[in-house]
Amino acid sequence: MLIDLTETTTAEVRGALTRARDQLGGPTTGVVLNLIIMTDESRQHDAVRAANQAGREHPCRILGVISRGSSGSSRLDAEIRSGDGAAGQTVLLRLYGPMSLHPDSVVMPLLVPDTPVVTWWPGNGPDVPSGEPLGALAQRRVTDAASAGHPAEALHGLALAYRPGDTDLSWTRATSWRSLLAATIDQTDEAVHGGTVSAEEGNPTADLLTAWLASRLHAPFSREVSGGPGITGVSFAVDDGEITITRPDGRTATLSRPGQPDRHVALQRRDTAELLAEELRRLNPDEVYGETLAAACAAVPADRR
């Protein structure tokens, strides 16, 4: 079901949501959270599609907010989508004029009450996520430094503005790597004296992974530039030589240990829907991310920020 409302009000949108729910047999029953997406026209299609895919695991009301500029008179256009396999309801809100400066006043009446709120910026996020009107409404605030023009600068800004509840998809992309690396270290009795992380230039996930390894293993780790895609390898210097994990194709990693045969491990790069679904599984603050973000930015030279 698709409902278009032009030059409307939040009361009319709320009423249309209620009617759509009743006609389709209550699709908001079982909704576990509200997901606010602050985006633009160029990104809204991919962002909403990823949110709907993640919503199959976490049924939610998706509120996409698109600012169309603060000039001219205030106007609200809304597009409501229900059914079609979606686990909840999706509302696209296009804000014009001065109204675009106060998106929270439009969004608040449309939130499912007594339900957690997550705000996601799929593009270039704000300098202070918790200071944004839509960020202040949320228990969790999701950014993506990889979408910024200068990811290292974006990470540095996020570190300065960090508040419990902030997270970034650059950190989520490191989950599979962190699991594999932790398992690898757990299986060796040798001390780790340091190592390297290889990735394409400007990859914020690699910066975070390097800082995480250094802080957890209390050993120096450095960044090396490779051709990608993403992170292509991690090496550990141990007493007997070097343990390496290489992933040149973005799909399968090869684990090499001194004196042992190589092992192949599935390490597929994940799409945005999978990353978002992972973030929606936990609504409590990610303390390890906060600590790693601070360590990563302390280790980045000023000329790279």
Side-chain angles (χ1 to χ4, degrees):
M1 176 185 294
L2 178 62
I3 303 171
D4 278 320
L5 300 172
T6 304
E7 297 188 36
T8 187
T9 65
T10 54
E12 290 178 352
V13 175
R14 190 169 62 246
L17 283 169
T18 301
R19 291 191 296 274
R21 179 194 62 199
D22 294 341
Q23 291 175 15
L24 294 174
T28 59
T29 301
V31 164
V32 298
L33 57 87
N34 298 280
L35 176 59
I36 303 171
I37 307 173
M38 189 66 189
T39 185
D40 55 28
E41 290 290 357
S42 64
R43 296 179 185 269
Q44 63 91 2
H45 180 268
D46 290 339
V48 170
R49 181 175 59 182
N52 276 311
Q53 291 174 357
R56 294 170 186 168
E57 181 178 340
H58 311 278
C60 55
R61 174 170 286 179
I62 299 168
L63 300 172
V65 181
I66 303 170
S67 174
R68 299 303 299 267
S70 58
S71 60
S73 58
S74 290
R75 191 179 104 201
L76 171 63
D77 293 344
E79 182 181 313
I80 301 172
R81 303 171 187 171
S82 297
D84 298 326
Q89 293 175 309
T90 299
V91 186
L92 286 180
L93 302 166
R94 293 179 171 85
L95 281 57
Y96 298 79
M99 182 182 290
S100 66
L101 302 176
H102 306 282
D104 52 327
S105 63
V106 177
V107 167
M108 284 185 65
L110 304 178
L111 298 174
V112 178
D114 302 320
T115 306
V117 178
V118 177
T119 299
W120 173 36
W121 292 268
N124 195 3
D127 294 333
V128 184
S130 61
E132 290 292 303
L134 294 180
L137 292 175
Q139 283 78 33
R140 290 298 300 272
R141 297 166 291 276
V142 184
T143 53
D144 190 358
S147 298
H150 301 282
E153 292 181 7
L155 281 183
H156 182 68
L158 290 172
L160 294 176
Y162 176 79
R163 294 293 182 275
D166 292 354
T167 193
D168 193 272
L169 293 185
S170 298
W171 175 244
T172 320
R173 292 185 183 97
T175 299
S176 300
W177 273 101
R178 290 193 296 130
S179 298
L180 177 58
L181 295 175
T184 300
I185 295 302
D186 285 345
Q187 294 170 14
T188 182
D189 296 327
E190 299 180 79
V192 176
H193 305 295
T196 60
V197 176
S198 301
E200 57 192 347
E201 188 172 4
N203 186 296
T205 301
D207 292 335
L208 292 170
L209 189 64
T210 303
W212 178 74
L213 288 169
S215 63
R216 297 295 159 173
L217 296 175
H218 305 290
F221 278 78
S222 60
R223 275 272 281 114
E224 292 186 350
V225 176
S226 68
I231 298 173
T232 56
V234 177
S235 66
F236 299 104
V238 295
D239 295 334
D240 287 347
E242 191 174 63
I243 299 174
T244 63
I245 301 174
T246 56
R247 188 192 66 174
D249 61 0
R251 295 188 297 273
T252 304
T254 301
L255 171 60
S256 301
R257 296 174 178 270
Q260 297 185 23
D262 291 351
R263 290 175 51 197
H264 299 289
V265 183
L267 196 61
Q268 179 76 37
R269 300 187 78 196
R270 298 182 295 165
D271 62 20
T272 303
E274 293 177 278
L275 300 173
L276 185 61
E278 178 184 328
E279 284 302 329
L280 297 181
R281 289 184 197 122
R282 56 176 299 170
L283 296 178
N284 55 309
D286 189 340
E287 296 176 355
V288 178
Y289 164 70
E291 295 168 359
T292 304
L293 181 62
C297 293
V300 174
D303 60 356
R304 285 190 56 209
R305 294 175 186 168

